[in-house]
Structure formats: C-alpha cells, structure tokens
C-alpha cells in the first residue's frame, strides 16, 4: 500500500478524492495561465505559485525529504494540461513567465515530467527545466552560500537527470535545443558550486545563512554520478571551463571529494584544456621560467618554453601555480589538511599527465621536464612518507593497500590520510619513475630508503608491469611488430622484420624497477651490424631509465626509429638515434661544413659538456643551418 492510494478506486475512495482535489488545483492553474496568455487579465502570481507548489508537494517533490518519484505513477494523475499552458506562456508570453517564481516552475515541471506522454511536450519541458535551473544557479547570494532556490534547482535537476537517463535510447540526447539548455544548466551548476557555496550556515540550512554541504551535497553527488555514467559532454565542458575553480575546491573540506571526482572525470576524457595555439602563460609561470632559464642557451630556453606550453595545454593554471609555489614553502608550516589537499591535487595532476601521454607519448616527456623544474616530485614524496603507515612502520610485511583512485573516491569519507599517502607514493613512482628514482637516490631520508624499496618491489613494480602488459595488448600502434610479455619472467620481447632483416629486443624489468634500471638485449637481431643494434639498446635504456617513458612508449619509439633508418634517415652523431628520445624530432640542425645533421638538444648538450663551439665530427668552428 502507498498511503492508501493503491487500494480501492472509484467514487468515494481516497484515490478519487485525491484526484478530484488535484484536478481542481490544476484547473485553477490552467485558467490563470489562459487568461494571462490571452491578455484577459494580469496574472495573480502568488495564487499561481501556490497552486504549483500544492501540486508539486502533493505529488512527490519532497522539499524537506527525499523525492518520491512513484507518487505520480501510483496516483495516475495527468499533468499535461497545466504543463502545456506553462509551455505556451514560456514561448509566447515570456514577461509573464519570468514574473512567476522559478522555484515553483521547477518543482512542478520536474514532478510532471515523469508522467508526460507526448514526446513534443517532454522536449519542451526539458528545455524549460534546464533554462530555468540555469537562471536560478546564476543568482548568487551576497555571502556566496547555497540558497533555498539553489537547492530546489538542484533537486529539480536531480529528478529530471535521473528520469531522462532511463528513457528509451535517451531519446532527447540529440535534440539541439535540449542539448544547449542542458549545457548551460550544467555549466551554471558547476560554476556556482565551485566558485561559491561556502559554509556560512548551520546544519539546519537556514535560508538567511545558506545551506551547507550536508544539504546540497546529496543531490549534487547524484547529478554528477548520473552524468558521469552517461559520459555527459555537458559535464565535460563544464569541468574544463571551471577547472581552476575545481582545483581551488580541493582546499575546501566539504567540496574536496566532488572536486576530485570532477577533475578525475575531466582527465578521463583525455582532451586538452586548450589547443597548443591558444596557450597563455600565467604571470607566476613566467616568473618561474625566468628563474629556470638562468644560464641556459637560447635553444635550451626555447625547448623549456615548449615543455611548459605542453603543461599549460593539459594542466589547469591554478594547479601549476600551486605546485610551482611548493618549492618556496616550508613543510613545517603546513598542517595535515593542507597537506591532504596538496596530495589530492597531485593525484589529479597525475591523471592529467596520463591523459596527455595517452594522447601523444611526447607529452609525457615534456610534462616530466616541466615537473622536474618545479621540484614537485621530491616535495610530494616527502609528504607521502610523512603519512604512509606502510613506510612509517619500517619493518614487517607490506600488506595490500588501495592503489586505485577510483576505489578511493567510492568511499572518501572512510579513506584515511595514510591510504591517500600510499596511493600518492605508488602513483608518483608509476607516472614519474625517473624523477622518483632521483629522489630515492639523492633526497630520501635514510631511515626510509630500504622500506620504500621494499614497497616498490612488493607493489609498484608488479603493478607497473601488469598495467604495461595490458596497454601493450590493447595498442594498435605496433603494426606488424609482434610483442609478447610475461608477468612470471618480468620480460617483454618485441620482434620486427624489415626486408631481409630481423630485429628483436628483449626488455627485462628487475624486481625493484624503476629504482633499479631495466635491462635491454638486442643481440638476437640479424642482418644489421653490432654497433647498430647496440645503439638501439642504448636508446631504449635511455627512454626507460632516464626519460621516464613506459614500455609501450619505448617499443613504439624503437620501431619508429627502425622505420626511419630503413627510409635512409641518418642518426644524430651525438645520441646515435634518428629520433630524439625526448622530443621525437628528426636531426634538423645541419653543419655547413660537413653537412651532418644533429638534434638541437644533443648539440647544445655537447657544446656545454665539451666546452667547445665546434662540430662534433669535423671539429670546425660551428656554423649550422636549421633544415626541415
């Protein structure tokens, strides 16, 4: 039974009385709107709003309790006549429509939407709902709190998003009018959440003080969860637009988990924040680049700017500003909450780096170069060892821990700072292996060196290999190159045939990889000289052990090098590789004397290390030309 409405029906029943009362209220609503639409008399907005609220609350809107979406279905009330008149007012009498309380409209339309049978009327209702909700979200409280109107707009969006997602084939997803209205509503919602909604009120959500996170958190989480499940482009666009505000939200306790989820979703779509052509450096980053560029040559400064430009393309500027400032901070002055917020920000950054690398492996090298200049890896690993119980206990068996951000986000309220720190250490070593190795060798507190190595052996290295093998199995970039790998032997073997030549490379990862260098063997290559396959081996070692590349990156790079060599491109005389390990560029700086071509980075490094300004091969004073 549902409050007595599922029993006997007909004249004299409770159901009949309810339908009669609801129909009378709806008739009054229709009559007032009709007279207004036909200019017979001015609308009594107070009476109209009262009618809408009576209908909404009687049929399950649930202002002070969870919505009861079953009410409309159980009672069997048809809301079409009033919704149709509201739509006519919206399309033909906008001044009257705007004079009606938007919350009354939202409450009634979202309840009525579940029972509308006409596709055309459903489409109009969705357009109105999203448009009105967008207008409500744009109205800010003077204290930046979540107002009663904001909460009602959230509740309305929650009901309509959940209902529309269950419609057959999500039939309004491709309607341009509805799509634009939804884009605007979701953007306005994420903007008001990320930019305001500070805690000024109490737990009861008094209207004059504003609702707190306990009130708005539930409907907002439901909306976000539903939109993520739908892979909503509206949410993706909103997250990109509000990325900097979401980063700031990581430092607000009641916003942390939702901001992290939204940043995670944005990274998961693997799309840059901006195009490389529209990159703009912030003032803070420009100041840092001036410091980093001190003592560098012109070409090296240009390379640095290119690396930072890639970072700007993929990382929110607020995130970059924060990590760039870490080197200026005293760790002793930061509290646990700030450190927790910084660790969450770093996890989000790692997701962005993985997204950039999936888009183009060159991005990983560029962002790694930028991160190395910020010295952020050392700072983060210092924080991690400060809180990670696995590291702090120093002795005993290292048990399983949570090494998945998605799993951590499932129950953020029960996750501990220790679990977060362990995840951060794991992901940092996985994403920035070369930089993490430098920290472990040079800056890691001696008391933790052995324990962190045990941690790498027990968790990091096996999981890196497992994930690498999964990526290799899914990749289509290898073409005719055959690749096989084994978790048991910790070895990956690639074979590639070109004309009468057979090239083979075997990569073995030690138990403590990446803190212990990978071993590369190209000796089973037939048809080419020993010096040539040794160059191949050196190239792969550099990418894996020094550049922080993945197995997939290294094998794809090796194959591309081989292809270029067979096309007749001569390798750089400095690094012995056709493609530069970091930039993947061909040698494009030609000596005017001997005509040999070099990578710009390789030649600059040669000049610095040798103290000479002469060609590597002909030893004549350098005079070169850039070539395509």
């Amino acid at each position: 039974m549902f409050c007595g409405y599922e029993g006997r029906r007909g004249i004299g029943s409770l159901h009949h009385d309810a339908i009669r009362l609801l129909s009378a209220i709806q008739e009054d609503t229709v009559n007032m709107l009709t007279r207004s639409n036909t200019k017979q008399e001015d609308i009594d907005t107070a009476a109209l709003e009262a009618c809408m609220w009576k209908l909404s609350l009687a049929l399950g809107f649930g202002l002070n309790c969870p919505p009861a979406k079953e009410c409309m279905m159980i009672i069997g009330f048809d809301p079409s006549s009033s919704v149709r008149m509201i739509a006519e007012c919206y399309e033909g009498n906008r001044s009257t429509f705007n004079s009606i309380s938007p919350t009354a409209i939202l409450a009634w339309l979202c309840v009525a939407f579940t029972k509308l049978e006409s596709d055309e009327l459903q489409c109009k209702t969705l357009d109105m709902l999203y448009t009105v909700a967008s207008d409500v979200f744009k109205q800010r409280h003077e204290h930046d709190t979540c107002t009663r109107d904001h909460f009602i707009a959230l509740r309305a969006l929650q009901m309509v998003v959940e209902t529309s997602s269950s419609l057959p084939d999500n039939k309004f997803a491709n309607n341009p009018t509805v799509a634009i209205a939804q884009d605007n509503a979701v953007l306005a919602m994420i903007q008001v959440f990320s930019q305001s909604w500070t805690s000024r009120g109490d737990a009861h959500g008094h209207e004059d003080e504003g609702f707190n996170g306990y009130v708005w958190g539930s409907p907002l989480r439901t909306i976000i969860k539903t939109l993520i499940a739908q892979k909503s482009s509206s949410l993706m666009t909103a997250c990109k637009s509000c990325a900097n505000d979401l980063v700031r939200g990581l430092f607000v306790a009641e916003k942390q988990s939702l901001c992290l989820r939204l940043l995670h979703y944005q990274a998961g779509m693997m799309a840059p924040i901006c195009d490389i052509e529209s990159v703009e450096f912030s003032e803070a980053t420009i100041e840092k680049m001036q410091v980093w560029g001190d003592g560098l040559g012109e070409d090296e400064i240009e390379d640095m700017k290119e690396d930072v430009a890639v970072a700007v393309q993929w990382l929110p500027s607020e995130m970059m500003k924060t990590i760039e400032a870490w080197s200026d901070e005293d760790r002793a002055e930061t509290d646990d909450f700030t450190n927790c917020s910084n660790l969450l920000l770093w996890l989000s950054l790692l997701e962005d780096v993985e997204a950039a690398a999936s888009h183009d492996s060159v991005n990983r090298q560029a962002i790694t170069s930028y991160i190395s200049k910020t010295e952020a890896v050392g700072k983060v690993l210092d924080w991690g060892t400060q809180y990670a119980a696995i590291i702090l206990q120093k002795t005993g068996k290292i048990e399983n821990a949570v090494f998945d951000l998605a799993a951590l986000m499932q129950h953020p309220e029960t996750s501990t700072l220790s679990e977060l720190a362990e995840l951060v250490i794991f992901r940092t070593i996985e994403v920035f292996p070369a930089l993490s190795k430098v920290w472990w060798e040079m800056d890691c507190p001696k008391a933790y060196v052995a324990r962190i190595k045990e941690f790498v052996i027990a968790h990091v290295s096996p999981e890196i290999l497992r994930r690498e093998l999964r990526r290799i199995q899914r990749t289509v970039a290898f073409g005719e190159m055959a690749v096989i790998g084994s978790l048991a032997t910790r070895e990956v073997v690639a074979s590639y045939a070109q004309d009468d030549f057979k090239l083979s490379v075997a990569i073995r990862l030690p138990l403590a990889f990446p803190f212990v260098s990978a071993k590369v063997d190209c000796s089973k290559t037939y048809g080419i000289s020993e010096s040539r396959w040794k160059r191949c081996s050196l190239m792969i070692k550099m990418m894996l052990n020094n550049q922080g590349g993945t197995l997939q990156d290294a094998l794809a790079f090796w194959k591309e090098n081989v292809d270029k060599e067979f096309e007749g491109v001569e390798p750089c005389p400095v690094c012995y590789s056709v493609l530069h390990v970091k930039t993947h560029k061909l040698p494009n700086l030609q000596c005017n004397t001997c005509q040999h071509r070099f990578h710009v980075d390789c030649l600059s490094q040669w000049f610095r290390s040798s103290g000479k300004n002469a060609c590597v091969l002909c030893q004549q004073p350098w005079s070169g030309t850039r070539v395509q």
Side-chain angles (χ1 to χ4, degrees):
M1 296 292 290
F2 191 85
C3 300
Y5 289 109
E6 285 190 318
R8 184 173 65 86
R9 301 198 173 195
I11 296 176
S13 67
L14 180 61
H15 176 269
H16 177 267
D17 292 342
I19 289 290
R20 182 169 55 82
L21 288 171
L22 291 169
S23 297
I25 297 172
Q26 178 165 246
E27 185 177 352
D28 289 344
T29 302
V30 171
N31 288 337
M32 283 186 279
L33 287 169
T34 300
R35 289 194 294 272
S36 174
N37 290 343
T38 56
K39 310 296 184 182
Q40 295 179 22
E41 60 181 58
D42 293 335
I43 195 168
D44 184 348
T45 54
L48 179 61
E49 291 164 11
C51 287
M52 289 184 180
W53 273 115
K54 289 176 183 177
L55 291 170
S56 304
L57 296 175
L59 290 166
F61 181 73
L63 184 59
N64 296 314
C65 62
K69 292 176 284 188
E70 304 85 359
C71 280
M72 187 70 83
M73 303 300 295
I74 291 172
I75 294 178
F77 184 73
D78 182 7
S80 300
S81 59
S82 59
V83 173
R84 190 171 287 107
M85 290 306 302
I86 294 173
E88 288 184 13
C89 183
Y90 175 73
E91 293 174 343
N93 193 3
R94 188 60 67 90
S95 60
T96 297
F97 182 88
N98 291 337
S99 69
I100 306 169
S101 167
T103 54
I105 294 173
L106 285 171
W108 175 230
L109 289 183
C110 75
V111 171
F113 179 76
T114 62
K115 196 69 173 69
L116 298 175
E117 296 181 356
S118 163
D119 286 355
E120 180 184 2
L121 192 55
Q122 277 189 326
C123 186
K124 290 180 180 178
T125 303
L126 277 178
D127 180 25
M128 289 188 289
L129 274 165
Y130 286 133
T131 301
V132 174
S134 177
D135 291 341
V136 169
F137 287 133
K138 291 175 182 177
Q139 298 169 5
R140 304 294 177 88
H141 189 270
E142 60 178 333
H143 296 305
D144 278 342
T145 55
C146 177
T147 66
R148 174 180 176 274
D149 287 2
H150 289 159
F151 176 72
I152 291 172
L154 275 179
R155 175 60 64 78
L157 272 190
Q158 175 189 353
M159 293 182 70
V160 76
V161 165
E162 289 182 308
T163 303
S164 61
S165 66
S166 63
L167 294 174
D169 301 322
N170 203 1
K171 57 184 178 181
F172 301 116
N174 297 321
N175 183 289
T177 302
V178 173
I180 292 172
Q182 185 186 44
D183 286 349
N184 293 335
V186 173
L187 175 60
M189 177 187 71
I190 299 300
Q191 283 177 333
V192 71
F193 157 69
S194 60
Q195 295 172 4
S196 59
W197 288 6
T198 54
S199 292
R200 298 290 182 95
D202 60 15
H204 302 290
H206 293 153
E207 184 179 356
D208 59 335
E209 295 174 321
F211 287 20
N212 62 24
Y214 293 105
V215 180
W216 52 254
S218 178
L220 184 57
R221 275 191 293 271
T222 302
I223 294 168
I224 290 172
K225 181 180 178 181
T226 305
L227 292 175
I228 288 176
Q230 296 173 358
K231 297 182 179 178
S232 166
S233 61
S234 299
L235 186 61
M236 171 65 184
T237 303
C239 289
K240 287 176 64 175
S241 176
C242 301
N244 288 320
D245 296 311
L246 293 174
V247 170
R248 295 186 192 99
L250 294 174
F251 293 82
V252 180
E254 60 188 357
K255 294 183 180 183
Q256 271 185 342
S257 62
L258 280 174
C259 286
L260 182 65
R261 183 179 289 271
L262 290 169
L263 289 167
H264 175 72
Y265 177 69
Q266 189 265 328
M269 300 305 286
M270 297 183 183
I273 293 174
C274 64
D275 296 329
I276 194 68
E277 294 79 12
S278 56
V279 161
E280 292 184 3
F281 300 125
S282 68
E283 291 184 7
T285 300
I286 290 173
E287 290 179 6
K288 285 293 182 181
M289 285 196 294
Q290 290 173 347
V291 175
W292 300 333
D294 188 29
L296 298 182
E298 186 177 333
D299 289 334
E300 292 171 301
I301 291 175
E302 192 61 35
D303 286 343
M304 179 190 67
K305 288 181 179 179
E306 290 179 4
D307 292 339
V308 178
V310 173
V312 171
Q313 191 183 2
W314 289 91
L315 306 179
S317 60
E318 188 67 22
M319 183 180 287
M320 295 177 64
K321 176 183 175 182
T322 303
I323 66 168
E324 287 166 6
W326 285 348
S327 61
D328 304 325
E329 296 175 357
D330 182 358
R331 192 179 78 174
E333 296 179 356
T334 56
D335 54 40
D336 288 350
F337 176 75
T338 302
N339 287 342
C340 175
S341 301
N342 283 327
L343 294 178
L344 291 174
L345 178 147
W346 183 254
L347 283 177
S348 181
L349 179 143
L350 296 179
E351 297 287 314
D352 289 333
V353 175
E354 293 278 72
S358 298
H359 191 269
D360 188 337
S361 62
V362 174
N363 292 337
R364 182 189 300 276
Q365 311 302 324
I367 298 178
T368 298
S369 177
Y370 162 72
I371 293 296
S372 71
K373 292 177 175 60
T374 67
E375 302 177 358
V377 166
K379 197 79 170 179
V380 167
L381 291 175
D382 283 341
W383 283 326
T385 54
Q386 180 182 345
Y387 295 108
I390 282 180
I391 307 301
L392 293 174
Q393 64 189 22
K394 296 184 183 178
T395 60
K397 183 179 179 181
I398 294 182
E399 301 292 342
N400 291 333
V402 177
F403 296 130
D404 181 28
L405 178 57
L408 193 72
M409 290 191 300
Q410 287 291 329
H411 305 287
E413 67 283 352
T414 60
S415 300
T416 66
L417 187 52
S418 174
E419 289 175 332
L420 174 61
E422 290 161 8
L423 173 59
V424 165
I425 294 172
F426 171 83
R427 288 286 288 144
T428 303
I429 298 173
E430 181 186 28
V431 177
F432 295 122
L435 298 181
S436 300
K437 180 182 178 182
V438 170
W439 170 83
W440 180 70
E441 292 176 338
M442 305 294 292
D443 300 317
C444 177
K446 290 184 178 180
Y448 301 136
V449 169
R451 193 61 176 171
I452 289 177
K453 185 176 180 180
E454 291 177 28
F455 177 69
V456 169
I457 293 172
H459 291 297
V460 181
S461 187
E463 188 60 26
I464 285 178
L465 181 56
R466 190 176 294 110
R467 295 185 184 187
E468 286 285 358
L469 292 179
R470 283 202 296 265
R471 291 192 189 104
I472 288 171
Q473 289 172 355
R474 293 195 300 262
T475 189
V476 295
F478 293 154
E480 298 176 356
M481 183 172 69
V483 182
I484 58 173
S486 169
L487 283 171
T489 62
R490 304 183 58 79
E491 189 172 71
V492 175
V493 178
S495 301
Y496 187 39
Q498 274 277 21
D499 300 328
D500 296 329
F501 305 98
K502 182 181 179 182
L503 299 94
S504 178
V505 57
I507 303 173
R508 180 183 289 273
L509 300 185
L511 289 175
F513 179 83
F515 287 178
V516 177
S517 298
K519 301 184 185 322
V520 181
D521 181 10
C522 296
S523 61
K524 293 184 180 180
T525 294
Y526 303 107
I528 64 173
S529 64
E530 181 179 353
S531 61
R532 193 168 170 185
W533 63 253
K534 281 187 175 180
R535 289 204 306 268
C536 293
S537 176
L538 178 62
M539 174 184 62
I540 296 173
K541 285 179 181 178
M542 286 182 60
M543 174 158 275
L544 287 175
N545 300 327
N546 302 104
Q547 298 294 328
T550 65
L551 283 172
Q552 181 182 341
D553 294 342
L555 291 174
F557 181 72
W558 173 69
K559 177 182 179 295
E560 192 174 359
N561 253 287
V562 170
D563 290 340
K564 292 295 182 184
E565 284 205 45
F566 277 101
E567 290 172 10
V569 181
E570 291 292 328
C572 169
V574 177
C575 68
Y576 304 113
S577 174
V578 173
L579 299 174
H580 190 270
V581 174
K582 176 188 168 188
T583 64
H584 292 203
K585 293 180 180 178
L586 295 169
N588 63 348
L589 195 58
Q590 181 173 287
C591 174
N592 292 335
T593 304
C594 66
Q595 307 303 308
H596 282 96
R597 296 184 180 182
F598 305 82
H599 296 125
V600 174
D601 289 353
C602 294
L603 197 60
S604 297
Q605 186 176 358
W606 164 262
F607 289 156
R608 280 202 314 274
S609 61
S610 67
K612 301 177 181 179
N613 191 28
C615 175
V616 178
L617 296 180
C618 69
Q619 293 297 305
Q620 296 300 308
W622 176 255
S623 172
T625 306
R626 285 184 179 267
V627 294
Q628 296 295 325

